[in-house]
Amino acid sequence: MREIGHFIGGKTLAGTSGRFGDVFNPNTGEVQARVALASTAEVESAIQNAQNAQPAWAATNPQRRARVMFKFLELIAKETDALAALLSSEHGKTLADAKGDIQRGVEVVEFACGVPHLMKGEYSGGAGPGIDLYSIRQPLGVVAGITPFNFPAMIPLWKAAPAIACGNAFILKPSERDPSVPMRIAELFMEAGLPAGILNVVNGDKEAVDTILTDPRIMAVGFVGSTPIAQYIYATGCAHGKRVQCFGGAKNHMIVMPDADLDQAVDALVGAGYGSAGERCMAVSVAVPVGQKTADALVQKLIPRVESLKVGPSNDPQADYGPLVTKAHLNKVRDYVDLGVKEGAKLVVDGRGFKLQGYENGNFMGGCLFDEVTPDMTIYKEEIFGPVLSIVRARDYEEAVRLPSEHEYGNGVSIFTRDGDTARDFTDRVNVGMVGVNFAIPVPLAYHTFGGWKKSGFGDLNQHGPDSIRFYTKTKTVTARWPSGTKEGAEFVIPTMR
Ligand code: NAD
């Protein structure tokens, strides 16, 4: 059986803890590899390697650091097909979607290529007599990222690329469910000229994470995953004096106004609700048609579309979506659907019994559509993370604004309307971090920032864009007087520039 170890100090190493996790093939349900789960000592060795390598990397001028990013882009472009196949074989998303996963990560590497410009400080010449005042950005030192299973290329790159470009050394703890792509990304960075020890990958579980959270040599931790773990990591990392940002779960609503183009809205809902089997933090899981007429028309159009979704193995180019990541997750999603029925929601399309011929043990599930879901139901309150869309009928626009605004998650939301006044009012008032207008998955591009509100995001700064440079650097501000020989005598009051 293939064994996946760690990438420490520029080398691929076998695990020594004696503990392993299973990596499944979601199409067949079989175990295809085992991944080493790092011991505290292994994580500590990665941290030591990072700490040894970081000062020289920080002293390398930013243009040279950017050149490593440029070279990495060349290398990953040559390998995208193979990487997408590897990603899809462990995650279960389709090949086309796996390429999108890689592409959205690559775009943040492209952004990080601009680091010489992005790290430029601020300068105020002549702030006082012979006095200049300036701020410079310096790397933090050793930083870490802990990432989820659902974007095994994109999110590691969102974390590692800006951190490294800024002159930090990075410890990545990817999801143990699909660890192969992050390992290959680390090798590609080495081939691109990154010095050994600047990007380390430790595979593992809570033991590895807890070591990262408590080791005083780690200055900052970025996390993406479910909300309970995000809260744990935020609290523990902060208690150990680290800079921490954590991005959690979601329940993204899509409002459909009576004036919306319904065909466009239905296309958006099936793509954003069921793409990647709903395993996206920006998936739309709640549709909110406004008014009974809109709701009835939407449901009538949605039912045949959900019934005819093509579920297939992840390498089938015709498939709309593939299997869920693991059997345990499939069972969890099915349990949510059972619960929704028990709670009184109307299951108008039931995909629970779906079986794919030739792949009977795969983690496949047909699309499910609930109508008449109400805000008190568990299936509305909690994140399901599967191919399940809930319709909550809103009486009027005010109720439609209130629903996502009052939900405890606040990652993404969208509104479909042809009325500019409504769209503008909605984007202004809704209490959610990322908003789409006639756009179902409003994931901002690399040069803007990504982050949810409420229980979808913890910490002050977002991911990628200018916030990533702020997160991975500290600001030093210098007040300098030249010529230095000015004699004013001792001053006992706070200096002012008079
Ligand atoms: P998860 O929380 O189970 O795991 C995320 C990471 O935390 C993994 O590396 C895992 O090994 C680690 N981890 C798990 N349990 C831990 C524990 N008890 N102690 C310490 N570390 C632990 O999340 P997942 O299932 O891999 O990913 C899906 C979740 O991620 C969904 O909730 C989804 O909404 C969320 N997500 C959020 C965003 C965002 O930007 N807001 C993006 C992608 C995914």
Side-chain angles (χ1 to χ4, degrees), residues 147-150 173 176-177 209 223-226 248-249 281 383 450:
T147 56
F149 83 85
N150 69 325
K173 206 306 281 171
E176 61 276 39
R177 288 183 242 171
V209 170
F223 170 87
V224 179
S226 59
C281 69
E383 181 183 47
F450 178 109

Side-chain angles (χ1 to χ4, degrees), residues 14 52 60 82 169 196 216 226 289 322 435:
N52 295 345
T60 303
S226 59
V435 186

Side-chain angles (χ1 to χ4, degrees), residues 478-492:
V478 181
T479 308
R481 175 153 58 196
W482 295 105
S484 60
T486 329
K487 301 263 184 314
E488 286 177 352
E491 283 228 37
F492 293 95

Side-chain angles (χ1 to χ4, degrees), residues 394-405:
R395 273 182 307 278
D396 52 26
Y397 169 68
E398 284 304 319
E399 190 182 355
V401 182
R402 220 166 35 240
L403 282 163
S405 297

Side-chain angles (χ1 to χ4, degrees), residues 60-79:
T60 303
N61 76 53
Q63 226 173 333
R64 281 176 184 268
R65 296 201 303 261
R67 279 188 201 127
V68 173
M69 299 286 143
F70 279 112
K71 185 72 192 167
F72 173 83
L73 290 173
E74 255 176 53
L75 297 177
I76 199 168
K78 285 188 205 144
E79 213 174 295

Side-chain angles (χ1 to χ4, degrees), residues 406-478:
E406 289 179 358
H407 200 284
E408 66 173 14
Y409 289 117
N411 214 36
V413 70
S414 63
I415 185 165
F416 276 62
T417 179
R418 283 189 262 217
D419 184 276
D421 289 357
T422 306
R424 191 168 186 279
D425 182 75
F426 183 79
T427 51
D428 191 39
R429 285 167 57 201
V430 72
N431 185 21
V432 172
M434 289 173 282
V435 186
V437 176
N438 297 316
F439 202 90
I441 308 187
V443 177
L445 290 177
Y447 42 96
H448 284 258
T449 70
F450 178 109
W453 290 359
K454 299 179 281 181
K455 286 202 168 160
S456 298
F458 304 87
D460 305 321
L461 295 168
N462 280 351
Q463 308 189 85
H464 66 61
D467 272 8
S468 63
I469 307 299
R470 293 185 192 111
F471 185 73
Y472 290 116
T473 57
K474 52 194 173 190
T475 305
K476 183 177 279 177
T477 309
V478 181

Side-chain angles (χ1 to χ4, degrees), residues 242-282:
K242 301 181 195 312
R243 188 179 285 192
V244 190
Q245 59 171 197
C246 295
F247 300 93
K251 198 78 181 176
N252 306 314
H253 296 56
M254 184 177 129
I255 315 301
V256 183
M257 293 300 292
D259 68 344
D261 176 333
L262 265 198
D263 291 324
Q264 186 197 24
V266 167
D267 279 343
L269 277 171
V270 291
Y274 300 93
S276 198
E279 292 170 324
R280 288 186 188 134
C281 69
M282 289 294 275

